[in-house]
Amino acid sequence: MAEKPAAVGNKVGKCMLHNWVEERAMEDVDTQETRIQIQKHGHKGIITMDQESQMESVTTLRANFIPPKGPGVRLRGIRGELLEKHNAQRIREKINAERNKPSPKTDFCSTTQRDFCVQGFVPLTPKTTQVHDYKSDQAITFWSENCQRIQGATAVPSVKAPFRKSVLFSTPISQRLDEMELPSDN
């Protein structure tokens, strides 16, 4: 049997390389339509020869696998069904009561009213034990309280003013030997 070249007798267009079997099968169908019509609408008559036929509305899954039907007889008694409904209703009411608790009564009392305006409260101002001058006294902070524990700081010349300027770190040792008491190395 002699092979027929793919391009001979083909009015529609070129076929893919080594795709002559498909072109030969479509040769009779492609004679009446142009290339543009085939690209737009596809080949007619490949799947069915009856162009007026409609598609089926039932799939093979629905046709072959029909859901089972009930037995048509009561499977549970009336009392059991009523008991189940009653239990479900009680549980539903209990859960709704837990979820939708009534909101507590709002107390429109400010912190000042609650903490400082209590009946029977007598404010007392503590008496001073020492005279303080806020302009000249050293402020008490965490660092001033713990100045002896700070690592890498210079020696503290006086406990009352630990963070004042000190020249001890730059004073030559020969001049410091004249001092009576050397500062501690903390």
Side-chain angles (χ1 to χ4, degrees):
M1 187 170 182
E3 292 184 19
K4 188 176 179 183
V8 176
N10 188 0
K11 298 178 183 176
V12 176
K14 297 179 182 177
C15 70
M16 297 171 71
L17 192 62
H18 302 292
N19 201 5
W20 56 270
V21 177
E22 182 181 345
E23 284 293 323
R24 186 180 293 164
M26 300 310 304
E27 191 174 41
D28 295 333
V29 178
D30 288 343
T31 57
Q32 298 171 358
E33 297 173 348
T34 63
R35 180 177 178 203
I36 297 171
Q37 289 175 337
I38 292 172
Q39 288 176 346
K40 189 173 183 181
H41 302 290
H43 293 286
K44 291 186 179 176
I46 294 176
I47 297 175
T48 180
M49 295 307 236
D50 184 14
Q51 300 296 327
E52 304 299 323
S53 65
Q54 297 291 325
M55 290 182 62
E56 292 186 22
S57 61
V58 179
T59 62
T60 55
L61 178 76
R62 285 191 180 171
N64 293 328
F65 301 104
I66 300 170
K69 294 182 181 177
V73 182
R74 180 182 285 275
L75 298 176
R76 296 190 57 170
I78 296 173
R79 185 176 179 190
E81 286 182 9
L82 291 175
L83 184 62
E84 183 180 346
K85 286 180 184 178
H86 178 69
N87 287 339
Q89 180 66 26
R90 280 191 355 203
I91 293 170
R92 189 178 310 115
E93 288 172 359
K94 186 177 180 182
I95 290 174
N96 284 339
E98 288 176 3
R99 282 188 183 170
N100 303 327
K101 290 182 180 178
S103 59
K105 188 176 180 182
T106 307
D107 183 21
F108 295 105
C109 183
S110 68
T111 306
T112 305
Q113 289 173 335
R114 187 181 313 116
D115 296 339
F116 301 107
C117 298
V118 179
Q119 291 180 355
F121 175 74
V122 178
L124 296 175
T125 306
K127 296 183 179 181
T128 58
T129 56
Q130 295 179 359
V131 178
H132 296 285
D133 184 17
Y134 71 92
K135 296 179 184 175
S136 61
D137 285 353
Q138 178 73 25
I140 298 174
T141 64
F142 172 80
W143 297 109
S144 66
E145 292 289 318
N146 299 304
C147 64
Q148 301 300 327
R149 297 182 195 160
I150 300 173
Q151 295 179 358
T154 60
V156 178
S158 97
V159 180
K160 291 192 175 192
F163 297 109
R164 304 238 176 179
K165 293 182 180 178
S166 174
V167 294
L168 291 177
F169 71 95
S170 62
T171 305
I173 294 176
S174 61
Q175 291 179 7
R176 289 187 60 192
L177 290 176
D178 298 335
E179 294 178 12
M180 297 299 284
E181 187 177 318
L182 292 175
S184 63
D185 293 333
N186 285 358

